[in-house]
Amino acid sequence: MSNWNKIFKPIVVLCVICIAITGSLAATNKVTAPIIEAARIEAERLARIELLPEADDFTPVEGIAVDNVTAVYAANNGTGYVITSTAKGYGGKMTVMTSFDAEGSIKQLKVTEDAETQGIGSNVSKGKGYWANYAGKSAGKELVLGVDVDAYATATISSRALNSAVNSAINAYNAIP
């Protein structure tokens, strides 16, 4: 038996298979990436509307450079702002959208992305009841966990992450001209 059949033929076959699969994945990504991006943008738009329903539409606010803040949007009719910020939770990155009314109070929050432990940290990241603790708080100063807002029992790290993301949003709100 020749070296071709024994050594080189399997290598060539595997390389051809790898090239074909890589090409297929690249083509699939090229087709689906714009669709996924459009769905993400629409989900963010709907979340902003949910957080500040009296707003007619939103315009991005540029020039706000606050750590961990990824987006600042102003309601076109002047009813408030929605600010997206992130913090590191127990399981990974937690993304929080915080809405502020025109008077500078937190209206409500929504965690749009998290990797918290189910049944423990998820009580903070998916717990609308816990998020209500932030409603009505002033954006005049950063909130202190345990003083201004209680931590969720058994989920202290997740509570700290949520509070940190909200404080980043407060800092961004205070940086808006």
Side-chain angles (χ1 to χ4, degrees), residues 128-144:
K128 291 182 181 181
Y130 181 72
W131 302 344
N133 292 320
Y134 288 88
K137 302 289 183 188
S138 172
K141 66 175 185 66
E142 286 191 3
L143 302 174
V144 178

Side-chain angles (χ1 to χ4, degrees), residues 96-131:
V96 181
M97 292 180 104
T98 308
S99 64
F100 296 89
D101 62 20
E103 288 78 43
S105 295
I106 296 173
K107 263 189 78 96
Q108 54 184 326
L109 338 158
K110 180 177 184 143
V111 176
T112 58
E113 179 184 333
D114 74 282
E116 301 306 291
T117 306
Q118 288 298 328
I120 300 171
S122 67
N123 292 329
V124 170
S125 63
K126 295 180 179 27
K128 291 182 181 181
Y130 181 72
W131 302 344

Side-chain angles (χ1 to χ4, degrees), residues 53-174:
E54 56 274 4
D56 55 355
D57 200 10
F58 294 92
T59 303
V61 177
E62 302 296 329
I64 306 296
V66 175
D67 287 342
N68 301 319
V69 171
T70 58
V72 177
Y73 281 86
N76 290 347
N77 61 356
T79 56
Y81 296 87
V82 177
I83 299 173
T84 305
S85 55
T86 62
K88 184 179 178 333
Y90 182 76
K93 183 172 87 167
M94 183 184 294
T95 303
V96 181
M97 292 180 104
T98 308
S99 64
F100 296 89
D101 62 20
E103 288 78 43
S105 295
I106 296 173
K107 263 189 78 96
Q108 54 184 326
L109 338 158
K110 180 177 184 143
V111 176
T112 58
E113 179 184 333
D114 74 282
E116 301 306 291
T117 306
Q118 288 298 328
I120 300 171
S122 67
N123 292 329
V124 170
S125 63
K126 295 180 179 27
K128 291 182 181 181
Y130 181 72
W131 302 344
N133 292 320
Y134 288 88
K137 302 289 183 188
S138 172
K141 66 175 185 66
E142 286 191 3
L143 302 174
V144 178
L145 196 63
V147 176
D148 299 314
V149 180
D150 291 331
Y152 193 93
T154 71
T156 310
I157 296 172
S158 299
S159 297
R160 269 191 237 135
L162 181 69
N163 195 67
S164 176
V166 171
N167 281 334
S168 293
I170 288 171
N171 291 334
Y173 177 81
N174 290 323

